[in-house]
Amino acid sequence: LYVATYATKSAHGLPNSFVWDMQLSLSYVSARDLRSAIRYARLSYNKNRKYRPALRYLTALEAVSGHADLAQLYSTQLSKIEPGFDYAALRGVNYPIATMRSAGLTDLLPERLEQTGL
């Protein structure tokens, strides 16, 4: 986490700082610190609203955290820029959320987003 934190701070103000924010989020995912992971994924997303890794992880992290409304919000945004995306894709072994899979967090994904019926 130290290296990722240092890189994020070093990238502050750069046009690609959203990438480093997401890297820090992934470090927190690996540590299973969902609150911090969401915080940095949101920071990345807020800097670049079309950055697919941030949207993918926000959808999955919010769903695992029990925030179906936020997971739906990010899922909707993701479906606009990732053709064919639907919530069920998150459970696929080839979907690019490998850090969550490695941390055992995809096993915690709800079958569907209850609030929206996805």
Side-chain angles (χ1 to χ4, degrees), residues 2 11 16 19 21-22 29 34-35 57 59 65 69 72 79-80 82 100 107-108:
Y2 172 78
N16 68 337
V19 175
D21 296 332
M22 194 60 215
V29 168
L34 300 183
R35 184 176 170 173
Y57 275 86
T59 300
S65 297
D69 55 337
Q72 171 59 39
S79 67
K80 292 177 184 177
E82 188 168 287
M100 282 193 71
D107 296 338
L108 303 176

Side-chain angles (χ1 to χ4, degrees), residues 55-67:
L55 284 167
R56 289 170 180 155
Y57 275 86
L58 282 169
T59 300
L61 288 166
E62 294 290 9
V64 166
S65 297
H67 304 128

Side-chain angles (χ1 to χ4, degrees), residues 40-106:
Y40 285 98
R42 279 185 189 157
L43 186 60
S44 177
Y45 168 75
N46 286 332
K47 290 178 182 178
N48 184 344
R49 300 280 173 137
K50 294 190 185 233
Y51 186 50
R52 286 198 276 179
L55 284 167
R56 289 170 180 155
Y57 275 86
L58 282 169
T59 300
L61 288 166
E62 294 290 9
V64 166
S65 297
H67 304 128
D69 55 337
L70 290 171
Q72 171 59 39
L73 171 74
Y74 296 123
S75 177
T76 299
Q77 293 297 320
L78 187 55
S79 67
K80 292 177 184 177
I81 61 173
E82 188 168 287
F85 173 80
D86 68 11
Y87 175 77
L90 297 173
R91 300 179 69 81
V93 295
N94 294 319
Y95 195 74
I97 54 171
T99 306
M100 282 193 71
R101 221 175 355 272
S102 296
L105 294 171
T106 52

Side-chain angles (χ1 to χ4, degrees), residues 10 24 82 117:
S10 297
L24 185 53
E82 188 168 287

